[in-house]
Amino acid sequence: MSDEKKKGTAASAMPTAMAPPGLINKEDIPQVLPILPLRNSVFFPGGVLPLAVGRQKTIALIKDAVRDDQVIGVVTQRRAEEEDPGASDLYTMGTVARIVKLLKMGEDNYSLVVQGLARFRVMELVQEAPYLKARVDAVEDKTSSENVEVEALGINLKKLAREVIELMPELPAAATELVESITHPGHLADLIAANVDVPIEEKQAVLETVDLKARMKLVLELLNRKREILKLSNKIDSAVKGEMSKTQREYYLRQQLKAIKEELGEMGEEEEELDELQERLKKAALPPEVEKVAQKELNRLKTIPAASSEYTVARTYLDWIADLPWSKVSEDNLDIENARQQLDKDHFGIKKVKKRILEYLAVRKLKNDMRGPILCLVGPPGVGKTSLGQSVAKATGRKFVRLSLGGVRDEAEIRGHRRTYVGALPGRFIQSMKKAGTKNPVMMLDEIDKLGADFRGDPSAALLEVLDPEQNSTFSDHYLDVAFDLSKVMFVATANQLDPIPGPLRDRMEIIELTGYTFEEKQAIARIHLVPKQLKEHGLNGDHIEVQDEALLILTTSYTREAGVRNLERRIADICRAVAVEVAGGKLDKQTIGAERVKEILGPETFYSEVAERTEVPGVATGLAWTAAGGDLLFIEATKMAGKGGMTLTGQLGDVMKESATAALSYLRSKAESLGINPNFLEKTDIHLHFPAGSIPKDGPSAGVTILTALTSLLTGIRVRHDTAMTGEATLRGLVLPVGGIKEKVLAAHRAGIKRVILPERCRKDLIDVPEQAKNELEFIFATKMDEVLSAALETSPFKEGAAIPATTTDTPPAEVRA
């Protein structure tokens, strides 16, 4: 045996008999007592305790005590695991005890019953072998038991004890009678302390409290705490039992119903399907409010006949609930370097977008609960906006889904239909989430600027909730009619133009503009991406064809003129098809595609620089315009004829452009004398301004400087420099105001072979977005007044001899530009 231990459950149940205190006088207690260490329990005066004894020291102590008929001291160990306790391992307060009964249970195994007589305090150990002996000092209660306060405390103790006994049905009925029969308050406190289930340290504290009132108050506190614990425990137990009994009852009844249907042969596929559906709903890990709705709908479904149309509606609804990714999240690949390599591998250029994606991943790595960004990529067709979404998904390790919003006119496409309608379905966003299978995919919203609106509602207004980071965590679809969290989705929208997008919707997205590519970028894209792709699609490989850089150069300059690379890819496909025909015909030699071979396959060059040809005569100026497909050149032609001073404008112009022409003419009339023009030149002359490509609508103020330059060239007879293009708004007083779309216009000039570009001074800052290749190959002239534009644009100075020639500013190197 490991040690003397209490037998049975004596510590947790009231003893059947308690001896009254005072069975021994203080004088009868020896000054030196053999000490019996007790583990896991505290022994009180007046108590009767059964013990199992197994340690050799304790057995020797018991034999001597029985032989000499002497009392012993029972002291609790501080640590129960100590096998051979010393002075420091024992508490200093113990109980004098008499051995009432001793039974030998086997060799080195005894069972005895001891009775507590009085408290004592250990002064010092005087013997450690063969067993412990200590010099002790007997202790008596300090407060008289006849004190009024002691009596009141005793009444409260009995009352609390009765309540606790009632809360513990495992205690015998005689426990209450035993408590009532005790009259001595110290005995009552010790009895209750011995039987209350509290830590050993707290029981020892009661034993060591000599003052009677303090001891009773301490026991009262322990008992009161025990009562509250029992009350709370019983309350929890009854609640759990009630819930369990309700669940068991329902389960039992359902099993009975199932068994009855099986016996009657009525157990069909519907029941099995509903059981399977219930399992799917459990596995879906639904949010609490959604689970409540789903369970209610499932219970209703079980009462609807399978042949009813209402059954199909409810069943379809629950299928949608079970299939949606309410809590399934794919793990983000937060390796920044891996994401950078993936984006660079799939797309050439577009540094702004790549930078923004890497920033998102970096913040996501540092802060795990970040909302998904809502990006809007705006740019001309063919620059890689749509394909970029797939690259983002690869870089982040997320699922990819694409929604094409072009031509969507029904608000229900976004929010879904009410379930009351026949054939109702959730909106496109919920359908895409089901398709993705995760809560945090990359969702591409393609052609968001092509949304329409009619009598069925405005889809762009419905998108306000989807694309608002503060609202989309509780997106409400009309079909589901419960909140769905879209805040973890990374939305990437694409658009060709910003203007058709309503202001509130535009405000909810982070706009990133993608502009056209330079010739160098197009050649790199063709070499890295387009040529390998077309070779693969046409069944060719590097053994059949080699496309040289000079072929790519002529393709980008003479056969395509666009902001993107779609037409470039088509021309490469034309070359691949021509080679494929020869390879299929048996010509297996490797073909090298150079400039001459391109002309042979594709025919005459489609595009060539017509700037020099157009500006051979005075009255023609080259402007720069912004279009949805990027930038473009805009030629403005002016001519004069005999007439009565009228001005004709043609070329499908908007009101703003017409006003720019009127303002330019007025400015020119006011400056006629300094330009050497007859001030009365309009008396017998009509002027006609024409903007070629008349089928294309044109509007905006940025052609103001070009119109004025064309009119000045016409009236002075000085030609406009053929290598110069310009843009800017001209005021009536001759100031040059800034305009937008500088990057697109500069790239258009670069594509067309222009060498000099005249820009408003306040547009200098916009050149930061222009690719380095274009900046290095173009000369930029910045003007604040129209006089500076005319001096830089015309072949010779239009000003009369002796007039001050205005200065202009160039980008690099800074120097004056003279006519």
Side-chain angles (χ1 to χ4, degrees):
M1 295 293 288
S2 63
D3 192 13
E4 45 279 3
K5 298 178 182 176
K6 295 164 65 172
K7 299 183 74 176
T9 57
S12 59
M14 293 287 187
T16 55
M18 290 292 289
L23 291 181
I24 189 169
N25 296 322
K26 183 177 180 181
E27 296 78 14
D28 296 335
I29 298 175
Q31 291 185 352
V32 176
L33 281 178
I35 301 300
L36 188 152
L38 186 65
R39 66 171 77 181
N40 297 322
S41 181
V42 178
F43 187 39
F44 286 87
V48 177
L49 187 67
L51 296 172
V53 176
R55 286 191 287 198
Q56 292 301 319
K57 281 189 174 184
T58 309
I59 292 171
L61 181 152
I62 292 169
K63 287 181 178 178
D64 288 353
V66 172
R67 185 184 67 237
D68 299 336
D69 193 22
Q70 62 176 333
V71 292
I72 63 174
V74 179
V75 182
T76 304
Q77 293 182 199
R78 294 183 186 275
R79 292 185 301 116
E81 63 272 13
E82 187 62 49
E83 288 294 329
D84 189 13
S88 61
D89 300 318
L90 300 174
Y91 285 104
T92 56
M93 185 73 79
T95 302
V96 179
R98 178 185 294 118
I99 299 175
V100 179
K101 184 183 291 186
L102 177 66
L103 294 173
K104 186 172 183 180
M105 309 300 292
E107 189 176 354
D108 294 336
N109 192 2
Y110 289 84
S111 176
L112 71 153
V113 178
V114 293
Q115 178 186 7
L117 303 176
R119 283 174 170 76
F120 72 88
R121 183 175 283 106
V122 176
M123 306 306 291
E124 63 173 334
L125 282 182
V126 297
Q127 177 183 304
E128 292 191 2
Y131 49 83
L132 297 177
K133 278 189 179 183
R135 183 174 291 108
V136 301
D137 182 25
V139 177
E140 292 183 341
D141 294 346
K142 287 188 178 180
T143 308
S144 172
S145 59
E146 295 178 1
N147 188 292
V148 176
E149 188 177 353
V150 170
E151 187 177 347
L153 288 169
I155 293 171
N156 280 343
L157 273 176
K158 288 186 178 182
K159 179 184 175 184
L160 263 179
R162 284 195 298 271
E163 291 183 20
V164 171
I165 291 169
E166 288 175 3
L167 291 170
M168 298 176 68
E170 66 272 14
L171 292 181
T176 306
E177 298 176 7
L178 177 60
V179 170
E180 293 293 341
S181 66
I182 298 174
T183 56
H184 193 280
H187 185 200
L188 178 64
D190 289 342
L191 167 68
I192 293 171
N195 292 280
V196 174
D197 187 14
V198 295
I200 298 298
E201 292 77 8
E202 295 186 3
K203 287 191 177 186
Q204 182 66 29
V206 174
L207 182 65
E208 293 180 359
T209 305
V210 179
D211 185 80
L212 185 56
K213 283 196 291 186
R215 189 196 313 162
M216 295 179 77
K217 287 179 181 178
L218 184 57
V219 174
L220 198 60
E221 182 183 334
L222 296 178
L223 197 59
N224 194 42
R225 191 172 68 195
K226 182 65 177 178
R227 180 186 64 174
E228 294 305 316
I229 292 172
L230 286 171
K231 278 185 178 180
L232 185 59
S233 176
N234 287 347
K235 182 179 178 182
I236 294 171
D237 190 44
S238 61
V240 172
K241 280 184 178 177
E243 187 64 33
M244 285 296 292
S245 61
K246 180 184 176 183
T247 306
Q248 288 171 349
R249 180 173 175 273
E250 287 182 1
Y251 176 77
Y252 178 68
L253 290 174
R254 290 192 188 284
Q255 290 299 111
Q256 277 191 325
L257 183 62
K258 188 175 179 181
I260 291 169
K261 284 187 175 182
E262 285 178 351
E263 286 295 323
L264 294 174
E266 296 178 1
M267 186 69 176
E269 294 181 0
E270 291 80 9
E271 285 80 0
E272 294 178 6
E273 288 178 359
L274 291 181
D275 289 343
E276 180 188 348
L277 182 58
Q278 189 162 15
E279 286 300 314
R280 285 169 56 202
L281 289 171
K282 284 182 182 178
K283 293 177 181 177
L286 305 177
E289 62 276 7
V290 180
E291 186 176 6
K292 185 177 178 182
V293 172
Q295 194 58 48
K296 181 180 178 182
E297 193 69 18
L298 184 62
N299 293 337
R300 192 173 74 87
L301 183 63
K302 290 176 180 177
T303 63
I304 301 175
S308 170
S309 60
E310 187 71 16
Y311 179 90
T312 306
V313 172
R315 173 63 199 270
T316 306
Y317 174 73
L318 288 174
D319 279 335
W320 274 101
I321 293 285
D323 290 340
L324 286 173
W326 297 95
S327 56
K328 187 177 179 182
V329 179
S330 61
E331 187 175 349
D332 280 347
N333 182 358
L334 301 177
D335 186 342
I336 307 297
E337 190 57 37
N338 174 69
R340 181 182 285 112
Q341 291 175 5
Q342 183 67 51
L343 292 171
D344 288 341
K345 176 184 174 184
D346 292 347
H347 287 81
F348 187 86
I350 51 176
K351 294 179 181 178
K352 276 188 178 180
V353 189
K354 295 177 181 178
K355 177 173 174 283
R356 181 64 184 86
I357 298 304
L358 295 177
E359 287 172 351
Y360 168 74
L361 289 177
V363 176
R364 184 85 170 75
K365 192 171 185 178
L366 301 176
K367 190 174 186 294
N368 196 33
D369 59 346
M370 184 187 179
R371 291 189 178 105
I374 299 171
L375 308 177
C376 182
L377 309 180
V378 181
V383 295
K385 300 185 300 296
T386 302
S387 61
L388 189 64
Q390 292 178 323
S391 295
V392 171
K394 287 180 190 174
T396 56
R398 296 188 176 196
K399 297 285 186 180
F400 175 76
V401 285
R402 177 179 168 271
L403 273 77
S404 180
L405 298 178
V408 173
R409 295 176 176 271
D410 189 355
E411 180 258 351
E413 292 276 345
I414 307 299
R415 289 190 176 277
H417 300 82
R418 301 280 180 192
R419 275 184 288 152
T420 51
Y421 297 110
V422 176
L425 282 173
R428 292 193 177 198
F429 284 91
I430 297 298
Q431 293 181 35
S432 298
M433 294 304 292
K434 177 185 175 182
K435 181 180 177 183
T438 63
K439 196 177 177 182
N440 61 337
V442 173
M443 190 174 290
M444 172 67 75
L445 309 180
D446 222 358
E447 310 292 356
I448 198 170
D449 58 329
K450 309 298 189 302
L451 282 170
D454 59 13
F455 65 93
R456 291 169 291 186
D458 186 356
S460 64
L463 278 176
L464 294 179
E465 181 186 9
V466 177
L467 299 182
D468 191 338
E470 301 299 326
Q471 298 180 41
N472 61 11
S473 60
T474 55
F475 171 66
S476 177
D477 185 273
H478 288 159
Y479 182 83
L480 293 183
D481 207 22
V482 290
F484 190 88
D485 185 5
L486 293 176
S487 63
K488 304 297 182 186
V489 179
M490 182 186 289
F491 290 103
V492 182
T494 70
N496 294 128
Q497 302 177 60
L498 272 179
D499 293 341
I501 305 175
L505 182 58
R506 194 187 318 165
D507 184 60
R508 282 161 166 77
M509 300 184 291
E510 184 179 340
I511 307 298
I512 299 178
E513 294 189 2
L514 303 180
T515 49
Y517 297 112
T518 63
F519 292 135
E520 184 183 46
E521 289 174 333
K522 285 185 179 180
Q523 290 174 53
I525 292 170
R527 187 166 51 253
I528 298 170
H529 298 288
L530 303 184
V531 171
K533 178 183 174 184
Q534 291 303 320
L535 289 179
K536 183 178 180 183
E537 289 188 359
H538 290 85
L540 302 173
N541 56 46
D543 295 333
H544 299 129
I545 182 174
E546 179 188 349
V547 181
Q548 295 182 334
D549 287 346
E550 63 177 20
L552 296 178
L553 177 61
I554 196 172
L555 282 174
T556 56
T557 56
S558 301
Y559 287 91
T560 60
R561 186 166 290 176
E562 56 178 341
V565 291
R566 282 209 180 107
N567 282 328
L568 176 59
E569 186 173 8
R570 293 187 184 106
R571 300 292 79 80
I572 293 172
D574 291 342
I575 293 172
C576 290
R577 284 194 294 272
V579 173
V581 170
E582 296 184 1
V583 172
K587 185 178 180 181
L588 301 179
D589 295 339
K590 184 174 183 178
Q591 300 193 38
T592 301
I593 307 297
E596 294 302 319
R597 182 73 168 125
V598 169
K599 292 178 183 179
E600 181 185 329
I601 295 172
L602 299 181
E605 295 179 8
T606 308
F607 300 98
Y608 55 90
S609 178
E610 54 184 343
V611 179
E613 179 184 332
R614 290 228 184 179
T615 55
E616 282 181 351
V617 295
V620 181
T622 308
L624 296 172
W626 181 92
T627 69
D632 202 356
L633 294 188
L634 179 67
F635 293 101
I636 297 177
E637 300 175 349
T639 188
K640 60 183 179 179
M641 64 211 80
K644 298 180 180 180
M647 184 169 67
T648 304
L649 301 171
T650 55
Q652 204 173 157
L653 309 182
D655 291 338
V656 176
M657 192 168 278
K658 291 177 182 177
E659 291 166 1
S660 296
T662 305
L665 185 60
S666 298
Y667 173 75
L668 199 57
R669 292 176 65 184
S670 70
K671 300 282 288 186
E673 189 172 345
S674 65
L675 291 169
I677 302 172
N678 182 4
N680 301 318
F681 68 87
L682 274 181
E683 285 185 359
K684 296 181 181 180
T685 304
D686 283 350
I687 292 178
H688 186 168
L689 273 176
H690 178 62
F691 296 74
S695 63
I696 301 173
K698 308 170 191 69
D699 201 6
S702 63
V705 298
T706 316
I707 294 171
L708 184 52
T709 303
L711 288 172
T712 304
S713 172
L714 172 71
L715 296 172
T716 61
I718 304 172
R719 293 185 301 183
V720 178
R721 291 183 58 159
H722 66 84
D723 60 350
T724 303
M726 63 203 76
T727 185
E729 179 181 355
T731 70
L732 193 60
R733 303 301 298 272
L735 297 177
V736 179
L737 300 184
V739 292
I742 294 298
K743 181 180 179 182
E744 291 85 349
K745 293 174 180 177
V746 169
L747 289 178
H750 183 255
R751 282 197 297 271
I754 296 291
K755 300 301 179 184
R756 301 166 77 242
V757 177
I758 300 174
L759 299 174
E761 172 65 37
R762 286 162 62 185
C763 289
R764 184 190 292 266
K765 64 183 186 305
D766 297 328
L767 289 182
I768 192 171
D769 294 329
V770 176
E772 287 298 323
Q773 183 195 4
K775 282 198 283 191
N776 293 336
E777 295 179 9
L778 292 174
E779 178 187 359
F780 296 96
I781 301 160
F782 300 96
T784 56
K785 296 180 181 179
M786 272 308 305
D787 294 351
E788 300 169 5
V789 175
L790 295 176
S791 298
L794 300 179
E795 289 184 345
T796 60
S797 174
F799 297 98
K800 288 174 64 178
E801 188 175 348
I805 301 175
T808 54
T809 307
T810 59
D811 187 24
T812 52
E816 290 186 346
V817 176
R818 303 285 181 179

